Amino acid sequence: MSDRLKVLPQYLLPKQRLTTFAGRVAGAKGGSMTTRLIRWFVGKYGVNMAEAENPDIASYKSFNDFFTRPLKAGARPLANAAFVCPVDGAISQFGAIDDHHILQAKGHRFTTTELVGGDAALAAQFRHGSFANLYLSPKDYHRIHMPCDGKLTRMIYVPGALFSVNPTTARGVPNLFARNERVVCVFESPEHGPFVMVLVGATIVGSMATVWHGVVNPPRMVKVTEFSYADQNIVLKKGEEMGRFLLGSTVVMLFKPDTIRFNGEWAPERSVRLGELMGVTPG
């Protein structure tokens, strides 16, 4: 069966209602029922609780508390590199931005302008630059960290669909990352210039949050909404937490031309871990 046929049911599912329901379940403090749900999830997806700061499944009051659990100190040391991987997950695609097009999967591309919610001036800064799409599966650690130092300048909420973002869906749904709901975070690095981190929503992703704003959704806004931080000094260091997903999704990063040379061992579908070498400064 082709990937397009496999994802056809997603067009028919009531994705918004499913996601709202999942968000309520995940946030509920259900006592023993919550513990059973977490225990089932850990077994189903092979979650490594030994890495968690708190490995005691029964101590988590809600599924959300478990899902956004912090790691124990020292579990993810940072590589001595200009850019470190911001998440645990797998590489969907990465490489050069072709003019203003980003590779989603074989046969599918989308534009940087579409990705950032229609802001052509913002997108133009990354023409012929570099991108990386990193997918977080259910078993992964779901906090997102900084690939390098950066000062936050803007955040843009872009409403959209809630398709799954797993590899099969990426191959089967055109413009997936530019049609799903997303939170676009714009940073300025003192060493590397502007860069963007896009948190992409998906089916059953109850919410996305950032450390400076808290929960961004819900509520789900009906139009593109911008938040400016130009008058604030929100600076995050390499490796610091910048946000989190409640259930798995994807992070898309954009860099200017001649800013990053990716790790030579990286390849599509390769697993990655927070803190590992992502790239160096060219030259």
Side-chain angles (χ1 to χ4, degrees), residues 10-41:
Q10 292 193 46
Y11 287 90
L12 307 176
L13 286 172
K15 295 182 285 295
Q16 287 278 1
R17 290 200 294 273
L18 282 172
T19 300
T20 299
F21 175 74
R24 289 173 180 168
V25 171
K29 297 179 179 180
S32 61
M33 290 184 64
T34 294
T35 300
R36 285 198 295 272
L37 175 61
I38 295 171
R39 199 177 302 281
W40 169 84
F41 189 94

Side-chain angles (χ1 to χ4, degrees), residues 4-151:
R4 292 197 178 190
L5 287 176
K6 289 178 183 177
V7 302
L8 183 59
Q10 292 193 46
Y11 287 90
L12 307 176
L13 286 172
K15 295 182 285 295
Q16 287 278 1
R17 290 200 294 273
L18 282 172
T19 300
T20 299
F21 175 74
R24 289 173 180 168
V25 171
K29 297 179 179 180
S32 61
M33 290 184 64
T34 294
T35 300
R36 285 198 295 272
L37 175 61
I38 295 171
R39 199 177 302 281
W40 169 84
F41 189 94
V42 168
K44 169 73 173 177
Y45 293 105
V47 178
N48 184 1
M49 293 301 294
E51 294 184 328
E53 184 178 81
N54 175 15
D56 182 6
I57 290 173
S59 69
Y60 291 98
K61 301 299 184 184
S62 71
F63 186 84
N64 279 344
D65 289 345
F66 152 73
F67 200 78
T68 58
R69 64 198 176 277
L71 296 174
K72 64 174 58 174
R76 296 291 185 274
L78 300 184
N80 182 18
F83 300 92
V84 298
C85 183
V87 295
D88 282 4
I91 300 166
S92 178
Q93 295 289 339
F94 73 105
I97 298 171
D98 180 9
D99 191 5
H100 60 284
H101 289 89
I102 297 174
L103 178 64
Q104 174 179 301
K106 185 177 180 180
H108 294 308
R109 294 176 181 270
F110 58 93
T111 70
T112 52
T113 301
E114 291 170 328
L115 178 69
V116 301
D119 189 330
L122 172 60
Q125 298 179 74
F126 306 101
R127 185 180 182 190
H128 298 301
S130 302
F131 77 96
N133 304 337
L134 305 180
Y135 167 66
L136 288 71
S137 72
K139 69 178 177 61
D140 290 320
Y141 168 68
H142 275 77
R143 297 191 183 196
I144 307 151
H145 294 246
M146 295 291 288
C148 60
D149 294 355
K151 179 179 180 180

